[in-house]
Amino acid sequence: MLEEWGINKKDLVCITTDNATNMIKAFEAFPDLWLGCFGHNLNLAISKALKNQRVDTAVKACRHLIQGFKDPRRELREKLAALNMPQKALIHDVVTRWGSAHKMLERFLSQQQPVCATLAGERGTWHLMPKDANVSVMEQLCQLLEPLSKFTDALASETRVTLSAIKPVLDHITRDVLVERDTEPSLTREMKRIMREDPNNRYTEKAE
Protein backbone atom coordinates (compact mmCIF):
# COMPACT_ATOMS: atom_id res chain seq x y z
CA MET A 1 0.00 0.00 0.00
CA LEU A 2 2.81 2.40 0.90
CA GLU A 3 4.67 1.56 -2.29
CA GLU A 4 1.57 2.02 -4.42
CA TRP A 5 0.95 5.49 -3.03
CA GLY A 6 4.64 6.43 -3.01
CA ILE A 7 4.69 7.09 0.73
CA ASN A 8 8.05 7.18 2.45
CA LYS A 9 7.86 5.12 5.62
CA LYS A 10 9.99 7.68 7.46
CA ASP A 11 7.23 10.25 6.96
CA LEU A 12 4.59 8.17 8.73
CA VAL A 13 3.24 9.47 12.02
CA CYS A 14 0.26 7.19 12.53
CA ILE A 15 -1.93 4.65 10.79
CA THR A 16 -5.66 4.72 11.38
CA THR A 17 -8.37 2.29 10.27
CA ASP A 18 -11.67 1.09 11.61
CA ASN A 19 -11.70 -1.49 14.41
CA ALA A 20 -12.40 -4.53 12.26
CA THR A 21 -10.50 -7.59 13.49
CA ASN A 22 -8.69 -8.04 10.18
CA MET A 23 -7.44 -4.44 10.30
CA ILE A 24 -6.16 -4.75 13.86
CA LYS A 25 -4.44 -8.03 12.94
CA ALA A 26 -2.87 -6.53 9.82
CA PHE A 27 -1.17 -3.71 11.72
CA GLU A 28 -0.41 -5.26 15.12
CA ALA A 29 3.22 -5.96 14.18
CA PHE A 30 3.65 -2.69 12.31
CA PRO A 31 6.28 -0.46 13.93
CA ASP A 32 4.26 2.74 13.60
CA LEU A 33 1.47 3.86 15.92
CA TRP A 34 -1.97 2.49 15.07
CA LEU A 35 -5.10 4.32 16.22
CA GLY A 36 -8.68 3.30 15.61
CA CYS A 37 -10.70 5.87 13.66
CA PHE A 38 -12.17 8.32 16.17
CA GLY A 39 -15.34 8.78 14.13
CA HIS A 40 -15.81 5.01 14.06
CA ASN A 41 -15.14 4.71 17.80
CA LEU A 42 -17.62 7.48 18.57
CA ASN A 43 -20.15 5.71 16.37
CA LEU A 44 -19.61 2.47 18.32
CA ALA A 45 -20.06 4.26 21.65
CA ILE A 46 -23.32 5.89 20.56
CA SER A 47 -24.56 2.62 19.09
CA LYS A 48 -24.04 0.97 22.48
CA ALA A 49 -26.16 3.62 24.16
CA LEU A 50 -28.89 3.13 21.55
CA LYS A 51 -29.18 -0.51 22.64
CA ASN A 52 -30.73 0.61 25.92
CA GLN A 53 -34.16 -1.01 26.06
CA ARG A 54 -36.10 2.24 26.53
CA VAL A 55 -34.17 3.95 23.76
CA ASP A 56 -34.54 0.99 21.41
CA THR A 57 -38.30 0.89 22.09
CA ALA A 58 -38.68 4.60 21.35
CA VAL A 59 -36.68 4.41 18.12
CA LYS A 60 -38.72 1.40 16.98
CA ALA A 61 -41.95 3.26 17.78
CA CYS A 62 -40.89 6.14 15.55
CA ARG A 63 -39.79 3.73 12.83
CA HIS A 64 -43.15 1.92 13.05
CA LEU A 65 -44.99 5.24 12.67
CA ILE A 66 -43.08 6.19 9.54
CA GLN A 67 -43.44 2.74 7.97
CA GLY A 68 -47.21 2.95 8.42
CA PHE A 69 -47.55 6.60 7.43
CA LYS A 70 -47.63 6.09 3.66
CA ASP A 71 -51.33 6.68 3.03
CA PRO A 72 -51.88 9.88 5.10
CA ARG A 73 -48.97 11.79 3.49
CA ARG A 74 -51.27 14.15 1.57
CA GLU A 75 -53.16 14.95 4.76
CA LEU A 76 -49.86 15.67 6.52
CA ARG A 77 -48.88 18.14 3.78
CA GLU A 78 -52.19 19.92 4.28
CA LYS A 79 -51.66 20.11 8.03
CA LEU A 80 -48.13 21.47 7.53
CA ALA A 81 -49.44 24.11 5.15
CA ALA A 82 -52.19 25.11 7.59
CA LEU A 83 -49.55 25.60 10.32
CA ASN A 84 -47.18 27.46 7.96
CA MET A 85 -44.53 24.78 8.52
CA PRO A 86 -41.95 23.69 5.91
CA GLN A 87 -43.09 20.90 3.60
CA LYS A 88 -40.63 18.26 4.73
CA ALA A 89 -41.38 14.55 4.62
CA LEU A 90 -40.81 12.21 7.53
CA ILE A 91 -37.46 10.42 7.34
CA HIS A 92 -36.82 6.69 7.63
CA ASP A 93 -33.59 5.66 9.33
CA VAL A 94 -30.89 3.21 8.28
CA VAL A 95 -30.55 0.72 11.14
CA THR A 96 -26.73 0.60 11.02
CA ARG A 97 -26.29 4.39 11.12
CA TRP A 98 -27.13 6.22 14.34
CA GLY A 99 -26.99 9.56 12.54
CA SER A 100 -29.95 8.58 10.39
CA ALA A 101 -31.89 7.57 13.52
CA HIS A 102 -31.13 11.01 14.98
CA LYS A 103 -32.45 12.71 11.82
CA MET A 104 -35.55 10.50 11.84
CA LEU A 105 -36.39 11.36 15.45
CA GLU A 106 -35.55 15.03 14.96
CA ARG A 107 -37.88 15.32 11.96
CA PHE A 108 -40.73 13.54 13.75
CA LEU A 109 -40.40 15.74 16.85
CA SER A 110 -40.41 18.89 14.71
CA GLN A 111 -43.64 17.72 13.05
CA GLN A 112 -45.26 16.08 16.04
CA GLN A 113 -48.27 18.45 16.09
CA PRO A 114 -49.30 18.01 12.42
CA VAL A 115 -48.55 14.27 12.56
CA CYS A 116 -50.77 13.93 15.62
CA ALA A 117 -53.54 15.93 13.93
CA THR A 118 -53.26 13.82 10.78
CA LEU A 119 -53.50 10.51 12.63
CA ALA A 120 -56.42 11.77 14.72
CA GLY A 121 -58.35 12.51 11.54
CA GLU A 122 -57.61 9.20 9.85
CA ARG A 123 -59.58 6.09 10.82
CA GLY A 124 -57.48 3.21 12.08
CA THR A 125 -54.16 5.05 12.20
CA TRP A 126 -54.00 6.44 15.74
CA HIS A 127 -52.23 3.30 16.97
CA LEU A 128 -49.19 4.48 15.00
CA MET A 129 -48.69 7.47 17.27
CA PRO A 130 -45.82 6.86 19.74
CA LYS A 131 -46.75 6.94 23.41
CA ASP A 132 -45.83 9.95 25.52
CA ALA A 133 -43.12 7.95 27.32
CA ASN A 134 -41.48 7.13 23.98
CA VAL A 135 -41.70 10.75 22.85
CA SER A 136 -39.98 11.83 26.07
CA VAL A 137 -37.12 9.39 25.36
CA MET A 138 -36.86 10.69 21.80
CA GLU A 139 -36.53 14.24 23.08
CA GLN A 140 -33.77 13.27 25.51
CA LEU A 141 -31.94 11.31 22.84
CA CYS A 142 -32.07 14.11 20.27
CA GLN A 143 -30.83 16.66 22.78
CA LEU A 144 -27.90 14.39 23.59
CA LEU A 145 -27.02 13.46 20.02
CA GLU A 146 -27.21 16.93 18.48
CA PRO A 147 -23.69 18.12 19.48
CA LEU A 148 -22.19 14.67 18.87
CA SER A 149 -23.41 14.59 15.26
CA LYS A 150 -21.22 17.61 14.48
CA PHE A 151 -18.10 15.90 15.85
CA THR A 152 -18.83 12.75 13.88
CA ASP A 153 -19.20 14.67 10.62
CA ALA A 154 -15.94 16.54 11.18
CA LEU A 155 -13.78 13.69 12.45
CA ALA A 156 -15.00 11.06 10.00
CA SER A 157 -13.85 13.22 7.10
CA GLU A 158 -11.57 11.57 4.56
CA THR A 159 -10.19 14.88 3.33
CA ARG A 160 -8.52 16.17 6.49
CA VAL A 161 -5.75 14.98 8.79
CA THR A 162 -7.46 14.97 12.18
CA LEU A 163 -5.02 13.09 14.43
CA SER A 164 -4.10 16.24 16.38
CA ALA A 165 -7.78 16.92 17.06
CA ILE A 166 -8.45 13.64 18.87
CA LYS A 167 -7.15 14.60 22.33
CA PRO A 168 -8.86 18.02 22.62
CA VAL A 169 -12.10 16.75 21.09
CA LEU A 170 -12.12 13.66 23.30
CA ASP A 171 -11.55 15.84 26.36
CA HIS A 172 -14.31 18.24 25.32
CA ILE A 173 -16.78 15.42 24.68
CA THR A 174 -16.07 13.51 27.90
CA ARG A 175 -15.63 16.51 30.24
CA ASP A 176 -18.21 18.91 28.84
CA VAL A 177 -20.71 17.40 26.40
CA LEU A 178 -21.14 14.06 28.21
CA VAL A 179 -20.69 15.18 31.81
CA GLU A 180 -23.54 13.89 33.97
CA ARG A 181 -25.68 16.42 35.80
CA ASP A 182 -27.92 15.74 38.78
CA THR A 183 -30.77 17.68 37.18
CA GLU A 184 -30.88 15.37 34.15
CA PRO A 185 -33.16 12.34 33.81
CA SER A 186 -31.57 9.03 34.80
CA LEU A 187 -31.78 7.76 31.21
CA THR A 188 -29.76 10.69 29.89
CA ARG A 189 -27.12 10.16 32.57
CA GLU A 190 -26.92 6.46 31.74
CA MET A 191 -26.48 7.12 28.02
CA LYS A 192 -23.81 9.71 28.75
CA ARG A 193 -21.90 7.27 30.94
CA ILE A 194 -21.87 4.63 28.20
CA MET A 195 -20.84 7.10 25.51
CA ARG A 196 -18.13 8.58 27.71
CA GLU A 197 -16.55 5.37 28.95
CA ASP A 198 -16.23 3.57 25.63
CA PRO A 199 -13.97 6.10 23.82
CA ASN A 200 -11.93 6.67 26.98
CA ASN A 201 -11.24 2.95 27.27
CA ARG A 202 -10.16 2.77 23.65
CA TYR A 203 -7.67 5.65 23.86
CA THR A 204 -6.31 5.54 27.42
CA GLU A 205 -3.81 2.77 26.75
CA LYS A 206 -2.61 4.41 23.54
CA ALA A 207 -2.11 7.74 25.31
CA GLU A 208 0.07 6.17 27.96
Side-chain angles (χ1 to χ4, degrees):
M1 182 181 66
L2 296 177
E3 291 176 357
E4 181 181 349
W5 286 87
I7 298 174
N8 189 327
K9 214 173 169 188
K10 294 187 297 183
D11 296 331
L12 285 177
V13 175
C14 177
I15 294 173
T16 183
T17 70
D18 61 27
N19 293 320
T21 303
N22 62 330
M23 287 295 182
I24 296 174
K25 184 69 175 177
F27 292 104
E28 67 180 0
F30 211 76
D32 293 278
L33 176 65
W34 176 88
L35 281 176
C37 169
F38 186 85
H40 187 242
N41 287 335
L42 183 59
N43 183 70
L44 291 175
I46 295 172
S47 296
K48 284 185 178 181
L50 292 179
K51 291 179 181 178
N52 174 283
Q53 184 175 357
R54 289 176 61 194
V55 174
D56 184 57
T57 299
V59 172
K60 286 180 177 177
C62 188
R63 191 180 297 142
H64 178 64
L65 162 70
I66 294 168
Q67 287 172 340
F69 208 83
K70 296 177 181 178
D71 293 335
R73 283 183 294 185
R74 180 176 60 83
E75 288 76 9
L76 177 59
R77 289 195 294 268
E78 292 175 355
K79 294 291 190 299
L80 289 169
L83 294 168
N84 293 318
M85 296 177 66
Q87 291 288 333
K88 294 182 179 180
L90 294 173
I91 301 172
H92 203 298
D93 69 329
V94 178
V95 177
T96 56
R97 298 180 181 178
W98 71 264
S100 68
H102 174 226
K103 289 181 172 61
M104 175 182 72
L105 299 176
E106 195 174 47
R107 180 62 58 83
F108 162 69
L109 291 173
S110 69
Q111 297 186 353
Q112 185 177 349
Q113 182 180 354
V115 167
C116 182
T118 300
L119 294 179
E122 290 289 316
R123 181 179 299 177
T125 61
W126 183 250
H127 69 281
L128 296 172
M129 190 67 187
K131 297 178 181 179
D132 290 345
N134 289 330
V135 173
S136 176
V137 172
M138 294 178 201
E139 291 171 341
Q140 293 179 54
L141 185 58
C142 281
Q143 185 176 3
L144 180 56
L145 293 181
E146 177 60 31
L148 295 175
S149 65
K150 298 174 183 177
F151 290 116
T152 300
D153 291 342
L155 293 173
S157 169
E158 296 181 352
T159 59
R160 302 183 186 91
V161 178
T162 54
L163 176 61
S164 61
I166 290 179
K167 184 65 167 66
V169 169
L170 181 61
D171 285 347
H172 176 58
I173 288 177
T174 56
R175 298 177 183 178
D176 298 322
V177 178
L178 296 179
V179 65
E180 298 173 48
R181 296 177 173 83
D182 294 337
T183 55
E184 294 174 330
S186 59
L187 178 61
T188 296
R189 296 200 303 271
E190 181 181 350
M191 287 191 291
K192 282 187 173 184
R193 177 184 55 77
I194 295 171
M195 293 181 193
R196 186 178 65 250
E197 289 178 354
D198 194 72
N200 272 337
N201 291 337
R202 292 182 184 274
Y203 286 101
T204 299
E205 183 178 348
K206 302 289 190 305
E208 294 173 351

